[in-house]
């Protein structure tokens, strides 16, 4: 959406009434009332042929005038002068997610009903004057993926991920620590790129896989097995140190996309990461942002 | 000074997961502020955390620390108060 509250140029994919997406191995079925639904560019390559099989079904209800859920939100994601989303009924299995347009005046753009024991959710979405609507308009899309992870052994993390010579490596850290830089260095060495900013990790029969998810730009779906995690920071020289136990869990959890408004969410994240660090080596990684880190990790890491 | 009772009341807002001799603490939060902060307790901290159960007084806990880790009571009390202060600060950041 643009800042006039109408669907903007980033929304280009015209979708049928029943639209199916395949994202990170999840089959998502979107049921629209008509063919006035639009998806943002980032979803373009995730659209798959219609199917009755799904991991999540989203029923879309366009509304002329959205209303906030009643009551006081249990959680609010906001910064001074800006609102992102609010959570209502946080302790129930059925929560309400009120999501705002990321541009001023931050109008309410969706209210999603999310059920954490049932893969049938509803999205009430703002109907525009043009008669069009965009149910997964940012930031609801990633929030849907986040909550879908709560129904499965999965988690989302701020990270870059690449596959190289049969090994999948994930690089995570605070903003500015070099996740994108690291990914670029590996890609220059012919690595397969999963994503340079956000990764969804899934557990599949004890093996862990990393996946990309729709971003603001068009990209094809990408996945790779996960063989090692590196907690990165810039350093004067290349050095990796293996991490175990609480240090590995807390180090990795700090960079996961977390909405700690409920005990359930936190316990789910802890359970998943605890299981992951038992199977996947985790390293602290100080690196020099040049090609030497690629050689260093190949020779000294996993 | 932060009291044992204050920390006990805060425990309901913390998720604790034991990993070996250590404990990871993650706070339940109502906003994004401090969302990525996680507290890890070492063996002594994990011991103290378990002792804060609404029944043990500060003296009780210090005595238990003294016995478990073979330190004198003064050291145990100092360690306990230091722990309470740091954990309180973490929870209320």
């Amino acid at each position: 959406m643009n800042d006039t509250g109408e669907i903007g140029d980033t929304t280009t994919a015209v979708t049928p009434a029943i639209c199916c997406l395949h994202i990170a191995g999840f089959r998502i079925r979107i049921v629209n009332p008509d063919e006035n639904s639009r998806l943002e560019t980032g979803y373009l390559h995730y659209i798959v042929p219609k199917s009755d099989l799904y991991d999540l079904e989203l029923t879309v209800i366009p509304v002329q005038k959205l209303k906030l859920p009643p009551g006081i939100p249990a959680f609010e994601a906001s910064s001074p002068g800006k609102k992102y989303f609010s959570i209502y009924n946080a302790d129930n299995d059925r929560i309400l997610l009120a999501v705002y347009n990321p541009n001023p005046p931050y109008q309410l753009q969706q209210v999603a009903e999310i059920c954490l024991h049932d893969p049938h959710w509803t999205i009430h979405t703002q109907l525009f004057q043009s008669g069009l609507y965009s149910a997964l308009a940012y930031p609801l899309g990633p929030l849907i993926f986040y909550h879908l992870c709560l129904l499965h052994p999965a988690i989302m993390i701020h990270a870059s991920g690449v596959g190289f010579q049969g090994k999948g490596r994930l690089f995570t850290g605070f903003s500015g620590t070099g996740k994108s830089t690291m990914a670029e260095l590996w890609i220059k060495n012919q690595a397969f790129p999963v994503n340079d900013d956000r990764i969804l990790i899934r557990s599949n029969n004890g093996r862990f896989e990393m996946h990309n998810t729709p971003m603001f730009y068009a990209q094809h779906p990408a996945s790779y097995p996960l063989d090692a995690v590196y907690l990165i920071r810039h350093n004067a020289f290349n050095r990796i140190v293996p991490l175990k136990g609480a240090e590995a869990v807390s180090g990795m959890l700090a960079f996961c996309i977390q909405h700690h408004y409920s005990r359930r969410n936190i316990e789910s994240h802890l359970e998943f990461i605890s299981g992951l660090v038992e199977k996947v080596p985790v390293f602290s990684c100080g690196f020099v942002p040049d090609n030497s880190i690629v050689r260093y990790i190949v020779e000294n890491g996993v | 000074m932060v009291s044992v009772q204050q920390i006990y009341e805060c425990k309901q807002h913390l998720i604790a997961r034991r990993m070996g001799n250590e404990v990871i603490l993650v706070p339940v939060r109502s906003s994004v502020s401090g969302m990525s902060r996680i507290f890890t307790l070492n063996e002594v901290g994990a011991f103290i955390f378990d002792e804060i159960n609404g029944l043990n007084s500060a003296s009780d806990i210090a005595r238990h620390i003294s016995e478990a880790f073979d330190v004198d009571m003064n050291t145990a009390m100092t360690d306990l108060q230091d722990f309470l202060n740091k954990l309180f600060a973490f929870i209320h950041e």
Side-chain angles (χ1 to χ4, degrees), chain A residues 211-227:
Chain A
H211 305 263
N212 67 0
T213 55
M215 305 292 286
F216 63 89
Y217 50 87
Q219 59 167 1
H220 288 275
S223 303
Y224 212 90
L226 178 61
D227 295 292

Side-chain angles (χ1 to χ4, degrees), chain A residues 170-233:
Chain A
L170 183 140
F171 305 101
T172 186
F174 289 116
S175 180
T177 51
K179 296 185 291 293
S180 298
T181 300
M182 181 71 88
E184 284 171 14
L185 290 169
W186 286 86
I187 292 166
K188 282 181 183 172
N189 283 273
Q190 313 305 315
F192 173 80
V194 178
N195 194 255
D196 69 345
D197 184 64
R198 183 176 70 212
I199 297 285
L200 193 153
I201 305 173
R202 294 191 65 174
S203 172
N204 185 1
N205 291 323
R207 288 189 58 91
F208 291 86
E209 302 163 343
M210 48 181 179
H211 305 263
N212 67 0
T213 55
M215 305 292 286
F216 63 89
Y217 50 87
Q219 59 167 1
H220 288 275
S223 303
Y224 212 90
L226 178 61
D227 295 292
V229 174
Y230 294 86
L231 311 184
I232 65 172
R233 66 192 187 284

Side-chain angles (χ1 to χ4, degrees), chain B residues 9-77:
Chain B
E9 289 168 2
C10 290
K11 282 183 84 168
Q12 64 179 309
H13 301 298
L14 293 171
I15 303 295
R17 185 172 182 106
R18 180 169 286 276
M19 302 201 67
N21 289 333
E22 295 174 298
V23 168
I24 294 172
L25 296 180
V26 183
V28 179
R29 297 203 188 264
S30 61
S31 72
V32 294
S33 173
M35 189 69 73
S36 63
R37 292 190 66 84
I38 299 161
F39 209 72
T40 302
L41 306 178
N42 61 15
E43 184 180 359
V44 176
F47 180 89
I48 296 173
F49 191 76
D50 285 344
E51 288 283 311
I52 299 172
N53 56 14
L55 300 173
N56 288 325
S57 67
S59 303
D60 293 334
I61 297 173
R63 186 173 68 254
H64 298 161
I65 294 171
S66 175
E67 292 164 357
F69 296 97
D70 195 24
V71 296
D72 61 73
M73 275 295 287
N74 281 339
T75 300
M77 282 298 294

Side-chain angles (χ1 to χ4, degrees), chain A residues 229-233 239-243 247 282-286:
Chain A
V229 174
Y230 294 86
L231 311 184
I232 65 172
R233 66 192 187 284
R239 182 169 183 253
I240 59 173
V241 176
L243 301 177
E247 195 176 19
V282 179
F283 299 89
S284 168
C285 174

Side-chain angles (χ1 to χ4, degrees), chain A:
Chain A
M1 285 172 57
N2 61 25
D3 56 4
T4 63
E6 183 54 83
I7 284 188
D9 292 338
T10 58
T11 306
T12 59
V14 177
T15 61
I18 304 291
C19 175
C20 293
L21 305 172
H22 199 241
I23 298 172
F26 291 120
R27 300 160 300 181
I28 300 174
R29 187 169 188 262
I30 305 173
V31 180
N32 299 298
D34 52 42
E35 297 195 349
N36 288 327
S37 169
R38 298 292 184 267
L39 281 175
E40 292 168 326
T41 305
Y43 291 91
L44 188 64
H45 296 297
Y46 293 84
I47 298 174
V48 295
K50 193 166 62 174
S51 170
D52 291 332
L53 299 175
Y54 53 86
D55 299 297
L56 173 67
E57 184 177 73
L58 300 172
T59 299
V60 178
I61 301 175
V63 176
Q64 292 276 3
K65 180 73 177 169
L66 276 174
K67 291 181 183 175
L68 277 174
I72 298 171
F75 178 86
E76 287 192 306
S78 62
S79 57
K82 191 169 182 178
K83 294 170 80 168
Y84 301 98
F85 65 90
S86 303
I87 301 282
Y88 297 76
N89 303 334
D91 293 324
N92 295 344
D93 278 347
R94 188 169 162 274
I95 66 169
L96 297 173
L97 176 59
V99 179
Y100 300 90
N101 186 327
N103 301 305
Y106 312 114
Q107 289 178 324
L108 184 63
Q109 67 177 21
Q110 299 110 336
V111 176
E113 298 177 34
I114 292 175
C115 187
L116 293 177
H117 63 260
D118 186 335
H120 298 92
W121 302 351
T122 301
I123 300 175
H124 294 82
T125 186
Q126 182 65 50
L127 181 64
F128 301 110
Q129 286 185 340
S130 58
L132 303 177
Y133 49 92
S134 181
L136 290 182
Y138 181 84
L140 180 60
L143 290 168
I144 292 290
F145 311 148
Y146 169 82
H147 286 90
L148 182 56
C149 286
L150 295 175
L151 272 66
H152 297 272
I155 204 164
M156 292 173 67
I157 186 168
H158 295 290
S160 60
V162 297
F164 183 73
Q165 296 179 346
K167 296 283 187 186
R169 297 176 177 93
L170 183 140
F171 305 101
T172 186
F174 289 116
S175 180
T177 51
K179 296 185 291 293
S180 298
T181 300
M182 181 71 88
E184 284 171 14
L185 290 169
W186 286 86
I187 292 166
K188 282 181 183 172
N189 283 273
Q190 313 305 315
F192 173 80
V194 178
N195 194 255
D196 69 345
D197 184 64
R198 183 176 70 212
I199 297 285
L200 193 153
I201 305 173
R202 294 191 65 174
S203 172
N204 185 1
N205 291 323
R207 288 189 58 91
F208 291 86
E209 302 163 343
M210 48 181 179
H211 305 263
N212 67 0
T213 55
M215 305 292 286
F216 63 89
Y217 50 87
Q219 59 167 1
H220 288 275
S223 303
Y224 212 90
L226 178 61
D227 295 292
V229 174
Y230 294 86
L231 311 184
I232 65 172
R233 66 192 187 284
H234 284 212
N235 202 39
F237 51 90
N238 295 319
R239 182 169 183 253
I240 59 173
V241 176
L243 301 177
K244 299 282 185 188
E247 195 176 19
V249 171
S250 59
M252 196 171 170
L253 189 64
F255 305 120
C256 289
I257 294 171
Q258 309 169 69
H259 300 303
H260 289 171
Y261 58 82
S262 87
R263 303 181 72 88
R264 171 193 54 227
N265 293 11
I266 299 170
E267 287 167 351
S268 173
H269 299 331
L270 279 169
E271 178 71 20
F272 184 85
I273 295 295
S274 297
L276 184 148
V277 303
E278 288 184 3
K279 296 281 183 67
V280 179
V282 179
F283 299 89
S284 168
C285 174
F287 79 104
V288 178
D290 63 29
N291 207 49
S292 65
I293 186 59
V294 175
R295 283 197 307 274
Y296 181 89
I297 286 177
V298 170
E299 292 171 4
N300 298 282
V302 173

